[in-house]
Structures are given as C-alpha cells and as structure tokens.
Amino acid sequence: DNQLWFSLTGDGAGSYNFQTGNQTFYTHQTGISSLVRSNQVSSIYEDFSGNLWIGHMGQGISILNLYQKSFSSFRHVPGDPYSLSENTVMCFNETNDGMLFGMDNDGINILYQDANTGERRFEKMLWPDHFYTPVPLSIWNIAREYENDYWMATNFGLIHSRKQGNNWQHQQHILAQDQGIRLRKIFLDENHNMWVGTHSGLFLFPFNQRDSMNYHLFLPDQDSPGSITDLEITEFLVDSKDRFWIGTRDQGVNLLQSDYSDLNLSGTNPPVLNFKVFSAGDNDHSLNNNEINCLFEYYDGTIWIGNQGGGINILDPVTGQMEYITTEEGLPGNNVFGILSDDQGNLWLST
C-alpha cells in the first residue's frame, strides 16, 4: 500500500505514504499503554503472524499488530521470574512455538505460552557449564538455518543452538582463538554457506567444511586493491541481481565485483573477493556517512542503506547515483538501524 514504516530512537515509530506524502507517528506518552514503550529503539522484527516486534533501549518490547495498528508490550518486572530478564533487546527470531530475544547483557530470553494458564512467559536460555561466558552476555544477531536450528552472533563466540522438543543443545565456536572477539552479523546463503561479520574481520564457513568448522578469514589489505576495506563488518545482502553487498563500521559499503553465484565456495581454497567501495564524499555517487547499520533491496532494485547519522542513502546500482532521506526530508531521526518489509508492502525502519 505504498507505505514506509519506521521506528525511531528518540522519536517513536511512524509511517510515510509515498503517494500522498502523508506521515503518521506513534510515540511514547507516559500513562498511555496503547502506544510504544519508549522512543529509543534498538531492533525490529516481523513474525509470521503479522506482528511487528520492536526492541527498546531500556524499556522492553512493543508489539504492533500490523492489521489493527495496536500496540502491546513486555518489560522486566522486578521480582517476577517470568518477565523479561532485562529491558534492552538487540535482536529477535522465531521458534515454532514462541520467540527468541537476544539481549544486550543477559543472553537469550525465550517467550513461550504456558500450557496450563495460556499466559505468555519468559525464561532465560541456559548455557552449558563448560562454555566461556563473560559478563555481559551480549547477543547481536540470531540467524535461523533450519526449522529448529539457529546460529547466534555474540561476544562469547559463534553459538550453534538446536531445539529438540522443549530442550536446547548448544555448541560454542571461538573464532581465531580469541575469546574477546565480538560477532555482529550472520548471513546464510541458499546453499548454507555462512558468512560471519565481526569486529575483527570477515569469516566464511563453507558448507562443505561445516563439520570441521574450518573457515577462511578476510582482512583489509592496503597492498591488495579490492580487498575488504574494514575490520568491522556490520551487514550482508545478496540482492535479486546476484550482487553481494557488505556493510562496514567505518568504511562504507563493499560491493563484490563478480556475481555471488560465481564465487568458488567449495571450501578447499578461499574464494577470490574483489570489491568496489561506496564511501562518504561530496558528490552524488557518495554516501553521506560511512558507518553502515543495514542494507535493504527495495522493490524497484535500488539499495537502501541505513547508516549512523546520515539517515537512508538510496543507491541506484545501475547508474551509481545516490539519493538521501534524512531529517531534512522529514525523517524523524538520522540513525537508521534496520529496514524490513511486511506482506502488506510496508517498509519498517528502526532508527
């Protein structure tokens, strides 16, 4: 229905109609429970039932029913063991019978429905005693590979979790023999090759090497033009034209110069990666900020780039031209953390 939906750090949530130009905003108001819990938004996720889950910085979760446009919410309640364990939610994913919440400081919270009372309850995911578990336990991303199979990007390694009935089994993989490495983003392609973006380089786990968890590591190399430009990898996208895009923390967007399907991902040798870079500059082919939070392909083939401080940069991959949506064009905030679409044709942003 030509609507762009967004949730905003500091400014609530809202929608923009591309045909009419009308904007509607949902903001937190003290004492009004039907609105968003807080104007500080850290994550956003749409489930299969048409609910939009919005994670807040310090204020729990808001749930927006996309059909009724009504909000409900959850948060930590001191003394209630079945409430959220904390109020900052960094990421979401679904199980067949509930939801997983990646927390800023407290690992994973699992939402389930009590069989006897029908009430929704939260419980903390328990980790094996032999796991390296620092404080805090930060979860940055949850990727679902199969129906009951998940990978988690954390500050305590790459976690592989399988749900079997009501129980979970976990494996911990410490990358590069460094317990302090922080993982930011996981991308699984259609052939189950896994790319992991970290604060210490780009990791590739070819599917054929999954049993041994052997990986290839890609680092910036000033002597190798076309290498990845930044140690800190924040986002991945393979678009409808088979182009492979990678967002970075400080060096803009890297675009693979060949088709993604042409990469040799057999696992024996590292694939040859040759990137073109889109970075901040002073012309209409440049980003307005190099810190990339999210990448999204719009229905017209343009790439929407959410960044830190620059709002949305819209790149035409064919011409290289860039357009911008910022507070000057009516966007309530310039820090865009996530963009997703729903089955009604809406786009949702967290900023």
Side-chain angles (χ1 to χ4, degrees), residues 182-215:
R182 291 178 293 164
L183 282 61
R184 175 73 179 263
K185 192 72 174 183
I186 298 169
F187 170 67
L188 290 152
D189 70 18
E190 61 183 8
N191 295 314
H192 300 278
N193 299 294
M194 181 165 59
W195 299 84
V196 180
T198 78
H199 290 242
S200 302
L202 172 63
F203 289 77
L204 167 63
F205 294 84
F207 178 70
N208 291 341
Q209 300 291 317
R210 187 71 69 78
D211 289 342
S212 62
M213 288 301 288
N214 289 333
Y215 58 79

Side-chain angles (χ1 to χ4, degrees), residues 315-331:
L315 170 64
D316 185 330
V318 177
T319 66
Q321 294 285 337
M322 200 84 66
E323 298 180 7
Y324 313 96
I325 302 176
T326 68
T327 53
E328 294 183 2
E329 287 72 41
L331 191 69

Side-chain angles (χ1 to χ4, degrees), residues 251-268:
Q251 298 296 323
V253 176
N254 287 224
L255 170 62
L256 188 69
Q257 291 293 79
S258 61
D259 289 347
Y260 182 78
S261 59
D262 289 338
L263 289 177
N264 180 0
L265 300 177
S266 63
T268 305

